[in-house]
Amino acid sequence: MEAVHARMRLAKALSLLGVIVAFGVILMGAWTRLEDAGLGCPDWPGCYGHVLVPDSATALARFPHAPLDAGKAWFEMIHRYLASGLGLVVIGLAWLAWRLRHVPGYPVRTSLALLGLILVQGAFGAFTVTLRLWPQIVTLHLVGGMSIMLLFLWLHLRQRQIASQPWWSARLARLAWPGGLWLFAVAVLAGQLMLGGWTSSNYAGIACQGIPSCNGQWWPAMDWGEGFHLTQSVGPSYLHGKLHAEARTAIHVAHRFGAVLLGIALWLLVWRYRRDTALRPFLGVAMAAYLVQAGLGIANVLFWLPLGLALAHTAGAALLVLAMTAAVWRVSSLPRRLLAHPPGIEPEEEWINA
């Protein structure tokens, strides 16, 4: 029994470490992109065929058509080192899940899903380089990083739940999906994350000047077909993007619309559970994260995407994902009777108010 407790403590610590490291990997990836260092190393997983960034002569001999920029190469390799460390954490959690598979309620499938996702994410990392920043892959790579981070948090919350209950005597209750409004909010958040990745990978962050208008117009010239043409050719380097101005404007405006829709979805959740003392703090944090993120988006437009604000915008997106994950976890882990009748609303009162 003591060995089981020790493994549980280690798994809980590793999942929390995974949340922190995944957050750092996401920021380092954004920094790499913002510094135009995504192709700082022309090969994968090494850099010019080496584990460490080589000198210029060695690099030139290996890839004569890709001169070494040591600073950009180190940005790229540090990102890879952090991602590799995260992979080791996932492998450790998968091993612990196998050892703890007989513990009632232990999230073995979540641990294995995390292992599968980190392998897919590694493939996306390789394709990001070999397909030369193809926007589709870059966007999926960002969404994959966010998904890994939220799975780490979900795993950690489940482990904490197991540790706080007599799991050796009774199986934990299954989590219950809370309802359509939550599904709508989660779907909008996922779509907005993909729009953010598409905006970033196509360098459309400063396609619009001004807030709330765009380039001095409420409805500027936009090419939606080209902006969301998902079968762009593979082969050329997409560093700095290939789309024309009107296509980038369409992407930028779509991202703004997504931000407004996400705000509406979160406001509906806050209003729906305004008297629920169990959920109100979680939704309050999610709404606060959204407001900060919206403010950072506006600031990035007004100040032409400075590095610090652009990184903060990525960090804000990650924090919003974490806050929303915690809120979904909270509502899905509540007993069904509390979902049907939130605290402070008696069944009779709810019927009368209806």
Side-chain angles (χ1 to χ4, degrees):
M1 185 63 70
E2 183 59 35
V4 173
H5 279 291
R7 291 187 190 117
M8 285 289 298
R9 288 193 296 269
L10 177 58
K12 193 165 62 172
L14 282 178
S15 60
L16 181 59
L17 176 64
V19 174
I20 297 169
V21 176
F23 187 87
V25 171
I26 290 169
L27 284 187
M28 191 64 205
W31 196 358
T32 300
R33 182 193 57 76
L34 290 166
E35 291 285 353
D36 295 330
L39 296 177
C41 295
D43 52 341
W44 190 93
C47 188
Y48 292 90
H50 294 265
V51 176
L52 299 176
V53 177
D55 57 66
S56 297
T58 302
L60 192 62
R62 182 90 181 189
F63 288 91
H65 302 296
L68 173 67
D69 184 324
K72 292 182 178 181
W74 274 114
F75 271 117
E76 175 64 14
M77 287 308 294
I78 291 172
H79 178 55
R80 294 183 190 179
Y81 298 149
L82 287 173
S84 299
L86 193 63
L88 293 177
V89 174
V90 173
I91 291 171
L93 282 168
W95 177 80
L96 287 168
W98 178 253
R99 297 301 301 269
L100 294 167
R101 65 190 183 279
H102 300 302
V103 174
Y106 190 83
V108 176
R109 285 182 294 183
T110 304
S111 303
L112 295 179
L114 190 54
L115 178 60
L117 185 56
I118 202 79
L119 293 175
V120 172
Q121 182 71 348
F124 283 155
F127 292 146
T128 296
V129 176
T130 57
L131 300 183
R132 300 174 67 78
L133 304 182
W134 195 42
Q136 286 83 336
I137 290 295
V138 175
T139 300
L140 289 174
H141 195 45
L142 171 65
V143 173
M146 294 286 186
S147 301
I148 288 169
M149 182 183 64
L150 75 84
L151 268 183
F152 269 120
L153 179 59
W154 193 271
L155 179 62
H156 182 72
L157 291 171
R158 186 64 169 174
Q159 291 166 338
R160 286 173 62 90
Q161 184 187 42
I162 293 171
S164 67
Q165 299 187 34
W167 44 266
W168 55 86
S169 60
R171 182 175 294 274
L172 291 171
R174 285 183 173 273
L175 299 178
W177 184 254
L181 185 56
W182 286 90
L183 179 61
F184 172 68
V186 169
V188 172
L189 176 59
Q192 180 64 352
L193 287 174
M194 296 191 74
L195 278 172
W198 193 245
T199 301
S200 176
S201 59
N202 284 287
Y203 298 85
I206 54 175
C208 283
Q209 298 181 42
I211 290 283
S213 63
C214 174
N215 300 327
Q217 298 175 290
W218 290 106
W219 194 257
M222 293 178 282
D223 187 343
W224 293 88
E226 186 65 22
F228 291 93
H229 178 53
L230 301 181
T231 56
Q232 296 165 319
S233 61
V234 177
S237 171
Y238 282 89
L239 185 65
H240 303 131
K242 293 292 184 182
L243 298 179
H244 57 76
E246 291 181 1
R248 298 190 198 204
T249 301
I251 295 170
H252 186 107
V253 170
H255 190 44
R256 290 191 185 186
F257 285 157
V260 173
L261 186 59
L262 179 58
I264 292 171
L266 289 174
W267 182 86
L268 288 174
L269 282 175
V270 170
W271 179 257
R272 167 67 180 83
Y273 295 97
R274 65 192 181 281
R275 289 189 285 176
D276 189 329
T277 56
L279 286 172
R280 194 166 54 206
F282 290 86
L283 289 172
V285 170
M287 179 56 82
Y290 166 78
L291 292 173
V292 171
Q293 179 69 346
L296 288 169
I298 292 171
N300 272 293
V301 172
L302 294 178
F303 296 103
W304 284 84
L305 208 66
L307 176 60
L309 280 177
L311 278 175
H313 195 51
T314 302
L319 290 174
L320 180 55
V321 168
L322 291 175
M324 196 62 184
T325 301
V328 171
W329 162 263
R330 181 57 175 161
V331 72
S332 62
S333 61
L334 288 173
R336 291 180 183 273
R337 61 181 178 80
L338 291 182
L339 290 177
H341 304 291
I345 303 178
E346 295 299 327
E348 296 79 8
E349 180 187 354
E350 188 179 48
W351 179 82
I352 293 171
N353 290 338

